[in-house]
Amino acid sequence: MYGIIAEDKSDVEVLKVIVKRLANNQSISMKGKGYHGCGEMLRKGSSQLKVFLKLGCQRFIICYDADRSSPCHRYDEAVAKIITPFGHKDKYCVLVPIQEIEAWILADLQAVTKIIPSWVPTKIYNHPESVNDPKEALEKLSRNTKKRPRYSHATHHVKIAEHLNLSRVKAKCKSFLPLENLVLKGEGNIK
Amino acid sequence: MSDSIIPDGIKINQRKILVNLEFITCDKSYEYEVSLNTEEKDHENTYSLSEHIKVNVGRSWDTIVNRSDTEIEVNGLENLKLTSGSMTPCLAFIFSLVSDKETLDRLKPVREYLKNIHYYPIDEPSGVKPTDIKNFVVDSDVYFKWLSEFQSSPDPECSVIMKLIHMWKDKEEKFEELKSLLGQNGLSIINDIRIDSLSLPHALGKIPKEEQTYYFVNFYPSLESDKISKVLRYHDLSYGTRRLLRMLTAILHDESTLLLLEQPEDSIHSGLLNKLVPLLTTYVDPSQFVVTSHSSGIINNLKAKDIRLVAMKDAKTIVRALTKVELEVVEAFICEEGTLNDFLESIEIEDV
């Protein structure tokens, strides 16, 4: 069973979809908690993981957006404020999407057509993790190209995740690797 | 901006009520100001209106229209003296009397903007009960009468069912967009909305006519694909679902310049609120939303710069944005301590 915490509820939902797809098992049991921002997650994340442990979770994912900060700094902060107070280091994956998890959608933007048929992207992002504010970039792209309905991350992100080419995401987003290693090999990334 | 101003129906405790609105439309900035002045004479209240409309040109403001009580002056039409009733709305009056195209073209963006400011209250429209048969079988005569009234004087509170039929008949793209937002690739609330029409050679129970058309509005809730989807009528939907349907229909159908939404969180599941607020944000531009809320679920999905604090003090309403210092502090607070709502609970509106 997996326990997932993230800054945003929609990020939790996306990660649930991707973990099940990576494991090729739709029946995996998962618990998740999305917060309203990183502050709340850093303050409450540790006690939430204790709850997940009591509920039987054996693998844990902490998703903390790098935004425009250094991914290493974010990683260290998550370890210091969430994992260290809890004390368990096995089977943990601290995921630090660069800059936001929406970069994974930009890695395979063609997947949006499965959910918003009128949107057939022509641009290919070879370095999606270099795009500033990818969430906003996606919504702006949808708005400026007058796609209907307009893309909204909280509504559409999890639907698109079901159609992402995960090999393409892995090839373009190095932040994806720790998640794949945890799911496929059972390896955490806590030093 | 309204069809009429009826001060007698309003208790006025102050000698002067002033509303000043600045807005941008068609790439220009405008200012619209209206003030209602009251005077007591011989134990009776008398009222007078003042209005002006200005457009920003560089660093200054040009007056387009100036009204003082019954006298209206229009820039560019100095030879024309307009005298209106004391409570006659200015713009409606000008458009009904002035034929100068240049003047009307200058005022049209203002009129369109103000005309499409819509208020959406919490409650369902009082004249329509969900169980009203008109909500699932609509006589085409009733529909076309509604359409005629709506096109001349749109009432944002009017029937959702009529708006859905209108979209189905005349705004197909918007109808499909609505269904997409509600369906399995969107909020997963209503899988499909189907509107069927049936023409009968004679009207049932009425004077016989050549043909009478009826519209049937059916809702199919989101279910797993291997289950047979049950058909629901409007009144079968939960209050929260009807509320959501009203909001999204309003956004797509009404083409408002400014939507005033009252407590959108009412009767909406907290999980759905996390999707609804970002969705509303996506549909900003060209529309603007002003939302009242008491809900942390709404507030925590917004940016601090978009929050306005409202309080009542000494019988007056105070409204303010967060100060520059508060905006700096809250950004760090959200990154390190808690949520936007947590922060707002700790400050006072009077702290300026």
Side-chain angles (χ1 to χ4, degrees):
Chain A
M1 193 189 297
Y2 285 82
I4 304 173
I5 62 172
E7 294 178 50
D8 185 281
K9 190 165 177 152
S10 69
D11 289 349
V12 170
E13 298 304 313
V14 165
L15 286 168
K16 284 182 179 177
V17 167
I18 291 179
V19 166
K20 287 179 180 178
R21 287 188 61 201
L22 279 170
N24 198 23
N25 180 355
Q26 292 298 314
S27 305
I28 293 180
S29 186
M30 324 197 86
K31 303 274 179 228
K33 173 70 182 176
Y35 294 94
H36 290 104
C38 53
E40 199 185 15
M41 183 179 74
L42 290 173
R43 199 160 50 86
K44 298 180 183 176
S46 180
S47 42
Q48 184 62 57
L49 293 181
K50 287 180 193 171
V51 170
F52 285 160
L53 187 70
K54 287 179 187 172
L55 291 174
C57 290
Q58 294 142 340
R59 295 185 180 184
F60 304 87
I61 299 167
I62 297 98
C63 183
Y64 186 11
D65 290 342
D67 294 326
R68 297 199 187 200
S69 293
S70 150
C72 292
H73 173 74
R74 293 292 209 195
Y75 172 92
D76 290 341
E77 196 177 11
V79 169
K81 291 188 179 177
I82 298 174
I83 294 174
T84 301
F86 185 46
H88 292 256
K89 287 189 182 177
D90 291 335
K91 311 295 184 195
Y92 273 89
C93 162
V94 175
L95 207 57
V96 183
I98 310 166
Q99 302 174 3
E100 295 166 320
I101 208 168
E102 277 78 7
W104 297 0
I105 292 189
L106 288 179
D108 184 31
L109 191 56
Q110 289 85 340
V112 300
T113 311
K114 300 281 187 185
I115 303 303
I116 303 174
S118 64
W119 190 2
V120 183
T122 51
K123 186 172 179 178
I124 294 177
Y125 289 84
N126 290 319
H127 306 285
E129 292 183 326
S130 67
V131 175
N132 286 332
D133 304 317
K135 184 185 299 178
E136 202 173 304
L138 273 166
E139 291 182 354
K140 203 171 170 184
L141 198 57
S142 167
R143 196 165 56 242
N144 289 349
T145 52
K146 299 192 190 308
K147 298 308 165 198
R148 298 287 174 181
R150 290 187 185 178
Y151 167 84
S152 172
H153 74 276
T155 299
H156 296 112
H157 196 169
V158 66
K159 311 286 183 183
I160 294 169
E162 290 167 11
H163 299 279
L164 283 175
N165 181 322
L166 297 181
S167 301
R168 202 172 281 164
V169 174
K170 177 184 167 182
K172 294 182 184 179
C173 301
K174 61 181 181 183
S175 62
F176 184 81
L177 279 170
L179 180 66
E180 188 189 59
N181 285 340
L182 183 72
V183 176
L184 296 184
K185 300 176 189 174
E187 290 173 3
N189 69 340
I190 308 302
K191 297 161 199 161
Chain B
M1 63 182 132
S2 67
D3 286 337
S4 63
I5 302 168
I6 311 171
D8 290 338
I10 305 167
K11 274 201 175 169
I12 298 173
N13 297 321
Q14 297 171 247
R15 293 232 175 264
K16 181 173 179 173
I17 297 173
L18 177 78
V19 175
N20 181 289
L21 185 66
E22 281 186 35
F23 57 94
I24 297 171
T25 185
C26 301
D27 297 322
K28 285 188 181 170
S29 297
Y30 294 91
E31 181 187 271
Y32 173 71
E33 186 174 289
V34 58
S35 68
L36 181 68
N37 307 297
T38 62
E39 253 185 66
E40 198 179 326
K41 237 183 204 178
D42 301 326
H43 304 292
E44 272 190 23
N45 279 334
T46 59
Y47 309 101
S48 67
L49 267 181
S50 302
E51 286 178 272
H52 73 239
I53 299 169
K54 294 182 181 178
V55 62
N56 185 272
V57 282
R59 293 183 182 190
S60 62
W61 291 85
D62 267 0
T63 302
I64 308 176
V65 172
N66 191 48
R67 180 236 189 105
S68 178
D69 198 15
T70 59
E71 303 295 322
I72 300 174
E73 292 173 353
V74 181
N75 191 1
L77 297 178
E78 280 75 18
N79 294 329
L80 183 65
K81 294 291 178 200
L82 297 174
T83 304
S84 72
S86 62
M87 288 293 115
T88 304
C90 176
L91 274 177
F93 185 73
I94 291 171
F95 271 84
S96 66
L97 285 187
V98 172
S99 60
D100 180 74
K101 189 176 179 300
E102 196 181 321
T103 300
L104 295 181
D105 284 348
R106 287 182 79 194
L107 288 173
K108 196 174 173 195
V110 178
R111 188 192 195 202
E112 288 307 303
Y113 182 87
L114 295 176
K115 199 173 77 165
N116 288 307
I117 296 177
H118 295 138
Y119 166 61
Y120 300 93
I122 292 179
D123 299 322
E124 283 183 315
S126 55
V128 179
K129 295 186 183 113
T131 51
D132 195 322
I133 193 168
K134 289 201 290 294
N135 281 320
F136 54 93
V137 180
V138 178
D139 183 322
S140 60
D141 287 346
V142 171
Y143 167 70
F144 284 111
K145 183 173 177 246
W146 168 85
L147 185 63
S148 173
E149 288 170 0
F150 183 82
Q151 284 172 337
S152 60
S153 181
D155 175 7
E157 279 193 68
C158 68
S159 166
V160 168
I161 293 297
M162 295 299 184
K163 289 185 189 181
L164 288 174
I165 296 172
H166 187 209
M167 289 165 78
W168 173 71
K169 286 175 70 65
D170 298 328
K171 299 184 178 187
E172 188 184 343
E173 272 189 11
K174 298 278 187 181
F175 188 61
E176 293 303 317
E177 188 176 350
L178 176 69
K179 289 200 296 179
S180 180
L181 285 173
L182 291 167
Q184 285 183 345
N185 285 340
L187 298 171
S188 299
I189 301 293
I190 298 172
N191 207 32
D192 199 7
I193 303 172
R194 288 186 210 155
I195 300 178
D196 299 306
S197 63
L198 177 67
S199 294
L200 299 172
H202 297 288
L204 301 172
K206 295 185 184 175
I207 298 170
K209 310 166 51 165
E210 275 194 29
E211 197 171 80
Q212 182 66 43
T213 301
Y214 297 89
Y215 302 111
F216 297 83
V217 183
N218 299 316
F219 299 89
Y220 295 80
S222 291
L223 288 175
E224 291 164 23
S225 57
D226 58 351
K227 292 186 180 168
I228 296 170
S229 193
K230 187 180 167 186
V231 177
L232 298 179
R233 311 295 185 202
Y234 184 68
H235 67 261
D236 295 320
L237 302 174
S238 68
Y239 182 80
T241 300
R242 295 201 303 269
R243 184 106 210 280
L244 190 67
L245 183 59
R246 258 192 301 138
M247 271 193 271
L248 294 180
T249 304
I251 290 168
L252 294 176
H253 176 272
D254 295 353
E255 296 178 358
S256 307
T257 48
L258 174 62
L259 291 93
L260 307 171
L261 280 177
E262 190 176 1
Q263 293 177 223
E265 68 269 18
D266 188 57
S267 303
I268 305 288
H269 185 274
S270 59
L272 194 50
L273 273 187
N274 284 327
K275 295 181 182 178
L276 178 62
V277 177
L279 189 61
L280 295 182
T281 308
T282 304
Y283 277 85
V284 163
D285 186 14
S287 298
Q288 184 180 12
F289 292 78
V290 174
V291 173
T292 62
S293 181
H294 305 298
S295 161
S296 59
I298 296 279
I299 291 165
N300 286 335
N301 276 294
L302 296 171
K303 293 183 183 169
K305 68 176 180 64
D306 294 329
I307 298 286
R308 298 292 180 270
L309 303 174
V310 183
M312 184 172 279
K313 190 179 177 185
D314 300 329
K316 286 184 186 172
T317 303
I318 311 170
V319 181
R320 72 167 179 92
L322 296 186
T323 64
K324 194 176 165 193
V325 169
E326 286 168 341
L327 285 172
E328 285 167 4
V329 172
V330 73
E331 198 175 314
F333 182 86
I334 290 170
C335 285
E336 291 160 15
E337 294 296 333
T339 66
L340 175 57
N341 191 66
D342 292 337
F343 177 82
L344 293 177
E345 284 178 349
S346 66
I347 61 173
E348 295 285 333
I349 188 170
E350 294 89 351
D351 291 341
V352 178

